[in-house]
Amino acid sequence: MKIRRREFIGTASAVALGMVRPVWIRAQEGGGKMPPTPTRPAKVERLFKAPDMDPNALEAAPDGLWIGDQVSERVFRVDWQTGKVLHEVQTESHNTSGLAVGAGYLWLGANGGVSGRRPPRPTDKPYGEVIQADIKTGKTVKIHQLIWGGGVHGITFVPQTQTLWVTALSIQAVAEIDPKDFRVLRLRPARGDRPHGLDWDNGALWVLIAGDHLVQKIDPESGKVLEIVTLSRTSDPDPHGMCIHEGHMYYCDAGLTAPGPGSEPAQICRFKIGPSAS
């Protein structure tokens, strides 16, 4: 059964605004006795600069780190250790804000509107969409409209389920999507100032909240926030795109959108996650 956009928005808004809350959320907001979410600061390590100046999307792969640039709309695969470019494609994306690799394709979170940062191109749009592109050439294979409307940031492909998770900015949520028909399978809340980078690791979702300078580990079944990792607003580069690789969370500083005092445009960073992080 095909869901109309109006029906979807009504249900999704209820989830995002908390009208449909698990018991643990109701207890937490109503003053019930819930243990505080484990929170720790990140110990950030600077690695190398991205090939272009405005990296806004990252994706992890065994053969290298994928980087999407917000202005040039180019996508690079670079060496994990040195940042050396191993593969490069020019895409037809616009305001690239998320990047996934899976099922033989690139999946680009095209956030819409390039804000005068470069000359307009015929493929630019004023609204968000997900672009399915050829992994070898960057050429567009198919464009997927967002049933929730508005913009899109992070996107990640989960090999175990062969599904995509996508940030749904207008309803403050993350959505699990069937890439074959872009049917929404699940919605989970993603509250905060600009949910951005997104990845999946050992059965959990990690969502980077760029404006709040933190990352949330989320249980995909319940939506509960299991852990929070904070970044310094003054001494750490600003967080935008994010991915996870071999026990580390990697993130990039695009140098755009409310840059803070610690901003270092084009910087690629990482910090440890998991039991050995403390």
Side-chain angles (χ1 to χ4, degrees), residues 50-224:
D52 277 350
M53 281 302 298
D54 305 289
N56 203 35
L58 298 182
E59 173 69 310
D63 57 353
L65 171 65
W66 290 83
I67 304 174
D69 191 86
Q70 185 175 7
V71 177
S72 72
E73 320 298 354
R74 293 195 294 179
V75 171
F76 305 87
R77 179 169 53 85
V78 306
D79 182 85
W80 280 108
Q81 303 300 321
T82 66
K84 178 183 177 181
V85 174
L86 305 174
H87 179 61
E88 173 187 341
V89 296
Q90 177 66 61
T91 75
E92 298 168 306
S93 184
H94 45 89
N95 194 7
T96 301
S97 301
L99 172 64
V101 176
Y105 297 99
L106 294 175
W107 306 85
L108 300 153
N111 197 28
V114 296
S115 303
R117 293 166 179 158
R118 60 166 172 76
R121 298 173 183 172
T123 53
D124 290 345
K125 307 284 179 58
Y127 49 83
E129 58 190 11
V130 172
I131 297 175
Q132 182 179 348
D134 187 286
I135 200 167
K136 293 182 179 179
T137 67
K139 293 296 183 182
T140 299
V141 174
K142 190 173 183 179
I143 293 175
H144 302 274
Q145 302 301 323
L146 308 175
I147 192 171
W148 51 83
V152 57
H153 278 160
I155 179 170
T156 191
F157 184 85
V158 182
Q160 295 88 338
T161 58
Q162 293 291 296
T163 57
L164 291 164
W165 282 88
V166 184
T167 49
L169 299 182
S170 62
I171 57 173
Q172 290 192 300
V174 288
E176 185 180 22
I177 301 288
D178 185 333
K180 294 188 293 293
D181 56 12
F182 251 59
R183 177 169 46 95
V184 175
L185 306 175
R186 286 189 287 183
L187 282 173
R188 295 295 177 261
R191 298 184 180 89
D193 182 6
R194 283 188 296 122
H196 208 306
L198 181 67
D199 208 348
W200 177 278
D201 184 62
N202 291 322
L205 276 170
W206 289 83
V207 182
L208 187 154
I209 311 297
D212 294 332
H213 286 246
L214 58 80
V215 188
Q216 298 176 345
K217 180 181 181 180
I218 297 175
D219 181 343
E221 298 302 323
S222 67
K224 180 180 180 180

Side-chain angles (χ1 to χ4, degrees), residues 9 155 210 227 269 275:
I9 291 296
I155 179 170
E227 181 183 349
C269 309

